[in-house]
Amino acid sequence: MPDSCDVLLATFNGAPFLAEQLDSLLAQDRDDFRVLARDDGSTDGTADILADYLPKFGGRMTILPTENGSGSATANFGILMAASDAERLLFCDQDDVWGPRKVGLTLDLLDAAVAERGPDVPALVFTDVTPVDAALRPLGDSFWAYKKVRPEVSADLRASLVCGTLLGCAMAVNRATAARALPFPSDQIPGHDWWMQLIACGLGTVRYSAERTMRYRLHGGNASGQKPVSTLAYATASGRAARVRRGMSRRYDQAAALLTRLDDELPAEARQTVEAFLATRDLGPVTKRWKLWSGRFLYPDWQRNLAMLALV
């Protein structure tokens, strides 16, 4: 079906928050979507909550069986994506609360991108969200401000090779993106959302809306482990040099996976950009820093650029 939509819900030991998230899905201002859920072997009653909500969706919810745990949220989302035949995919974490316009606004944004570029071109869209604590108390007005994100850089391949600037729970992709993303090269990528951001940057289009479509709960147990960008935190964190270097190694691995996956489909300019980034991997520290800076392989904020260029 050309207008089909699946909201992919990956769960694991999310019992304290899951019912509130499912209620927010039931409260959406449109109902032309299916919830495709998969639990990854929870031991806290999460699977029972999913089963209890199944009849409330009136046939618009499917729960995939769990034969074995996948081991990560990224792998769980990969299983969900592979099981979906929908043309449009949204990604749902177990512990957030979606606003009633979340699905509708996101799909309108995605449909506009697909209408302009065509269904065979990868398209990814995302929105801002409101960061909140475990009790849904606001931690700020905007996740973009909280993380010092400039959303426009999400469409810049150079910046995106260094920084995944969007949240998977705030994004949607079309089937053309999913087809190229799967199967995930799980040992080479930090996350499914960043991986698909690179695919859309390299081959298609990335769009965004500043509307905050959901409350993004930060409670210490999030798979993404999001923290605010802080000069003090970067200056005082123990083991920061090792973490920066490990992080850069993962970025190089992901860039190499992108070249392998997209092969000759990647336009010449995009291929040259990825190759230029990979070429910095084995350079000496001074030359590497210069090449990253002059090549604009940079974060959207000075704090992380300072850490990267000082420590790589």
Side-chain angles (χ1 to χ4, degrees), residues 235-278:
T236 60
S238 62
R240 61 189 182 278
R243 285 203 303 276
V244 167
R245 288 165 188 156
R246 282 197 304 270
M248 284 301 293
S249 181
R250 292 286 280 168
R251 286 155 173 78
Y252 287 126
D253 288 346
Q254 181 168 244
L258 188 69
L259 281 183
T260 300
R261 175 61 54 86
L262 300 185
D263 197 21
D264 293 336
E265 191 177 10
L266 201 62
E269 183 177 354
R271 173 173 286 276
Q272 290 166 7
T273 295
V274 180
E275 289 174 343
F277 175 68
L278 283 169

Side-chain angles (χ1 to χ4, degrees), residues 21-212:
Q21 175 66 298
L22 290 168
D23 285 338
S24 76
L25 294 176
L26 286 168
Q28 292 298 299
D29 64 6
R30 56 193 285 179
D31 61 5
D32 54 340
F33 63 91
R34 174 180 67 160
V35 176
L36 184 59
R38 181 182 181 276
D39 185 66
D40 211 28
S42 295
T43 58
D44 68 344
T46 294
D48 293 334
I49 294 172
L50 287 175
D52 288 344
Y53 271 80
L54 190 62
K56 297 182 182 182
F57 280 87
R60 294 192 299 114
M61 183 178 186
T62 299
I63 303 174
L64 297 184
T66 304
E67 296 177 359
N68 297 292
S70 70
S72 72
T74 289
N76 199 5
F77 276 118
I79 293 169
L80 285 162
M81 286 176 65
S84 172
D85 59 359
E87 290 297 319
R88 302 170 295 175
L89 303 174
L90 283 77
F91 301 84
C92 183
D93 293 344
Q94 64 190 1
D95 46 8
D96 301 322
V97 177
W98 286 17
R101 283 171 39 83
K102 169 77 158 67
V103 171
L105 184 145
T106 307
L107 289 183
D108 287 347
L109 197 62
L110 182 61
D111 290 346
V114 171
E116 182 178 321
R117 299 293 300 273
D120 296 329
V121 175
L124 181 152
V125 302
F126 67 102
T127 72
D128 197 2
V129 304
T130 301
V132 297
D133 67 11
L136 298 179
R137 293 178 296 239
L139 298 173
D141 291 332
S142 161
F143 177 78
W144 294 351
Y146 180 82
K147 286 290 287 184
K148 293 183 168 55
V149 168
R150 289 189 290 112
E152 65 273 14
V153 307
S154 299
D156 180 345
L157 182 58
R158 291 177 182 273
S160 296
L161 286 165
V162 172
C163 183
T165 53
L166 53 87
L167 292 168
C169 58
M171 79 178 192
V173 301
N174 65 344
R175 174 53 52 184
T177 305
R180 291 164 173 87
L182 292 173
F184 292 150
S186 298
D187 59 340
Q188 293 178 280
I189 64 173
H192 63 288
D193 42 9
W194 195 351
W195 174 238
M196 286 186 278
Q197 177 184 342
L198 288 175
I199 288 172
C201 277
L203 290 182
T205 185
V206 176
R207 311 280 179 89
Y208 61 89
S209 167
E211 183 165 334
R212 293 179 286 281

